[in-house]
Amino acid sequence: DAGVIQSPRHEVTEMGQEVTLRCKPISGHDYLFWYRQTMMRGLELLIYFNNNVPIDDSGMPEDRFSAKMPNASFSTLKIQPSEPRDSAVYFCASSPGAFPGSYGYTFGSGTRLTVV
Amino acid sequence: SQQGEEDPQALSIQEGENATMNCSYKTSINNLQWYRQNSGRGLVHLILIRSNEREKHSGRLRVTLDTSKKSSSLLITASRAADTASYFCATGASGANSKLTFGKGITLSVRP
């Protein structure tokens, strides 16, 4: 397996533009997580899915953020409109297991987002 | 919160020395995990230790867990320059909404 695949690796966009980040989890993993990492706030969980269903989106900062998982092999995180404070590295991770903390997570390489 | 807190925040050692990193947490857990993150990369899962285990080994890594003190330690023996990275502990509880909670990480520098 190629691991968790994220695209793009880098994204530079202007304030107000829509940004879409993409993730392909490991086949057979029931859980998919979206994280954001910044120097100031560390690693923050934004939302996670179980079998394609959003379970907990309490970490989504505001309505500008949305996430979907239309099937078991694809998820998107969308920011519309983007703002400079959204600049961060966004990670997708997946894991197997009966509950979300039962096994280790496999992380993608991340998308470094810069909003100017 | 069950969030793990790592200690120290930063550690600098000479190649060949052992590195010990600690993690404390507040509530009961099902397991505790350690991850490594190299600069510009995603986190990599290193080891998972369950609440009924006291010690676990993986290559040059040794993890201990003391549930009575709510603490864990990660020991890297005979460190190498390639071990330079950030290390995170994460705690997992039981139950349907028990996602992992990550600490802020320890920056380890191994000087050649």
Side-chain angles (χ1 to χ4, degrees):
Chain A
D1 202 318
V4 175
I5 300 172
Q6 291 187 246
S7 64
R9 285 297 311 273
H10 303 274
E11 177 80 41
V12 180
T13 190
E14 291 185 347
M15 184 173 63
Q17 296 297 306
E18 176 180 297
V19 175
T20 299
L21 312 180
R22 297 173 177 79
C23 174
K24 177 178 166 50
I26 290 177
S27 177
H29 281 192
D30 297 320
Y31 287 94
L32 182 141
F33 308 86
W34 281 101
Y35 284 89
R36 177 172 70 176
Q37 187 177 39
T38 61
M39 289 293 292
M40 290 296 294
R41 301 171 73 95
L43 199 62
E44 302 174 276
L45 176 64
L46 301 177
I47 184 171
Y48 77 91
F49 295 82
N50 177 217
N51 292 322
N52 315 338
V53 177
I55 302 300
D56 184 351
D57 66 354
S58 59
M60 297 285 260
E62 46 199 277
D63 292 345
R64 297 184 297 106
F65 286 69
S66 63
K68 294 182 180 179
M69 191 165 185
N71 57 62
S73 59
F74 184 66
S75 177
T76 59
L77 178 68
K78 187 177 292 186
I79 308 172
Q80 165 64 17
S82 57
E83 297 183 2
R85 60 192 166 120
D86 302 330
S87 296
V89 181
Y90 291 80
F91 289 104
C92 175
S94 69
S95 80
F99 50 88
S102 55
Y103 289 94
Y105 294 1
T106 302
F107 281 77
S109 297
T111 295
R112 181 173 295 277
L113 173 66
T114 303
V115 183
V116 298
Chain B
S1 166
Q2 66 190 42
Q3 181 178 27
E5 294 185 9
E6 298 96 341
D7 169 68
Q9 288 188 330
L11 182 60
S12 181
I13 59 173
Q14 199 75 34
E15 202 166 28
E17 294 179 338
N18 295 342
T20 299
M21 291 167 272
N22 303 300
C23 173
S24 60
Y25 57 92
K26 292 184 169 60
T27 62
S28 62
I29 61 170
N30 172 273
N31 66 74
L32 186 142
Q33 305 179 25
W34 286 92
Y35 290 76
R36 181 187 75 233
Q37 184 179 31
N38 291 92
S39 180
R41 309 298 294 272
L43 279 74
V44 174
H45 181 255
L46 295 176
I47 200 164
L48 181 154
I49 186 166
R50 301 203 181 276
S51 59
N52 60 354
E53 298 175 308
R54 292 295 166 259
E55 188 170 313
K56 210 161 180 180
H57 296 255
S58 177
R60 293 184 296 112
L61 306 181
R62 172 179 167 249
V63 170
T64 61
L65 179 64
D66 187 335
T67 53
S68 66
K69 294 181 179 178
K70 292 187 169 54
S71 68
S72 172
S73 67
L74 170 66
L75 170 68
I76 304 175
T77 59
S79 63
R80 305 167 182 168
D83 295 327
T84 295
S86 293
Y87 291 81
F88 295 83
C89 76
T91 52
S94 299
N97 199 28
S98 58
K99 64 267 189 185
L100 287 184
T101 308
F102 287 83
K104 293 190 183 303
I106 298 170
T107 301
L108 173 65
S109 298
V110 181
R111 303 186 302 275

